[in-house]
Amino acid sequence: MMTIHNYINGQNHPPATGEYLDNVNPATGAVYGKIPDSGQTDVNLAVEAAQAAFPVWSAMPLEQRHDILRKISDGILARLDVLAEAESLDSGKTIAAARSVDIPRAALNFKFFATALLHFASESHAMPGAISYTLRQPLGVVGGISPWNLPLYLFTWKIAPALAAGNCVVGKPSEVTPHTAFLLGEICTEAGLPPGVLNMVHGLGPRAGEAIVRHPDVKAISFTGSTRAGAEIARIAAPMFKKLSLELGGKNPNLIFADCDYDRMLETTLGSSFNNQGQICLCGSRIYVERSIYARFKKDFVENVRAMRVGDPADPKSRLGAVVSKMHFEKVLSYIELAKQEGGSVLCGGHAVQMAGRLAGGYYIAPTVIEGLSLECRTNQEEIFGPVVTIQPFDSDDEALALANGVPYGLSATLWTNDLKRTQRFARELQAGILWVNCWLLRDLRTPFGGVKQSGVGREGGWEAMRFFTETKNVTLAE
Ligand code: NAD
């Protein structure tokens, strides 16, 4: 049994509550460790440590801050195998995916923002007889709260820019996947990060998470997770006038036109539907196909999905591992039942996969394709966040746009076409923060990342993140 600790002031701390939560391996369903069920006292300690560290960290010469963040990046890569195994153990994702995507990206987050801090600049405005310049100062102590689907990847996507901008951080990783964040503490200490600059408190959202949000000395909250929790955080933080960045749920459309490069589209659409068991906020869960190629797409897609292997996350031959938890497993299966009740036809999958031996208690779901559902039904309106997609034909550009935009979410959209005019129109009219044309999940970390409507408020990435984690102050000097 492995015990995870809070990381406060550069040291491992048991929770002040003395209470722990089970940490479950979703591949087997077995409890393999325990994690702190932290509360207000732990958060208070973490905030105090962060406040004490702030004067030194915020005043540190940029090159020195850069060097420490680069060492953290190197430390992550040096432990690639250990971290990938830990990520898989916690989340059920394949080790191969954690090794090739999650952990390298966590290292890159630190490397990217280490470099960004050296180049981050503010504006000046000259006028006759005076000059105005803008200071961009770190906020102080900031909070970062992250979800379970890309645990270290998304946690570091918040922490790295916050630290780069000179803030001290109190972070809370998901209670479902705390392992890699725990290992990050050791890496930060080794890299020479001064104690208190980064603190990590483990526990439940409504307890440890809310304590961070409510703390009056936490100046900003960067949150990634469900729309429901985002709304709750906004309700608490808005009257306290905290800066808020909310990256929330999605129900992303894939729009496939007959003039696309078919083979590339097909291969990418298999990934955008089922990578990480469909548990990526950017997965396209509503697939709309121009009617003239609908029959061909349906046949090819379903044939390929049937061939996708669900299996042991440690087996390199597994294309899908387990979904993240029993609760999520039951939620996804309940949506498949709902889809049937709503009149959908399950073309493939539609059921749990029963493994043998050690994996018999794990949470596996066959990749599922459903057709015959209207836009209005709950299956097409609500986020399922699992290996389930719906497919549907359309007849015109107008209809495709109406289908894509007809949900409360607006995170990302994917468009497959070689028609430039159509691309320009869709880029203007799609209600989404991110649009991929003839690709998916092609990420440049300098670009703004985030959603519209119920998918969130604010943008992460590049200068957007550095601006979020700083406060501007305008100074005007007269001659
Ligand atoms: P969740 O909202 O249940 O939890 C996310 C984090 O918030 C966890 O650390 C949790 O403990 C904490 N939390 C929950 N309630 C809280 C509260 N009241 N106060 C403070 N903290 C609280 O989400 P999840 O189930 O972990 O993750 C899945 C969701 O995340 C999906 O909706 C998915 O679309 C979304 N997501 C969005 C993005 C994006 O960039 N937009 C990226 C990944 C995941």
Side-chain angles (χ1 to χ4, degrees), residues 76-77 79-108 148-154 156 177 179-180 183 275-277 280 312-316 318-322:
I76 292 173
L77 281 185
R79 286 174 180 74
L80 178 63
D81 290 331
V82 173
L83 288 165
E85 274 173 37
E87 205 70 295
S88 169
L89 201 60
D90 254 5
S91 67
K93 69 176 67 204
T94 62
I95 293 181
R99 211 177 178 286
S100 61
V101 180
D102 292 69
I103 308 306
R105 173 57 192 276
L108 185 57
W148 48 255
N149 63 322
L150 299 165
L152 194 64
Y153 173 139
L154 289 176
T156 54
T177 52
H179 195 153
T180 45
L183 298 176
N275 277 8
N276 204 38
Q277 298 69 249
I280 302 178
D312 187 345
D315 182 346
S318 301
R319 180 75 160 75
L320 282 82

Side-chain angles (χ1 to χ4, degrees), residues 145-149 154 172-175 204-205 209-210 223-226 228-229 232-233 247-250 281 383 385 411 449:
I145 301 177
S146 58
W148 48 255
N149 63 322
L154 289 176
K172 194 196 85 61
S174 169
E175 62 276 22
L204 299 170
E210 263 198 47
F223 171 78
T224 300
S226 62
R228 181 199 51 74
E232 185 59 21
I233 288 169
E247 301 293 340
L248 310 177
C281 53
E383 185 183 45
F385 213 53
L411 186 53
F449 179 92

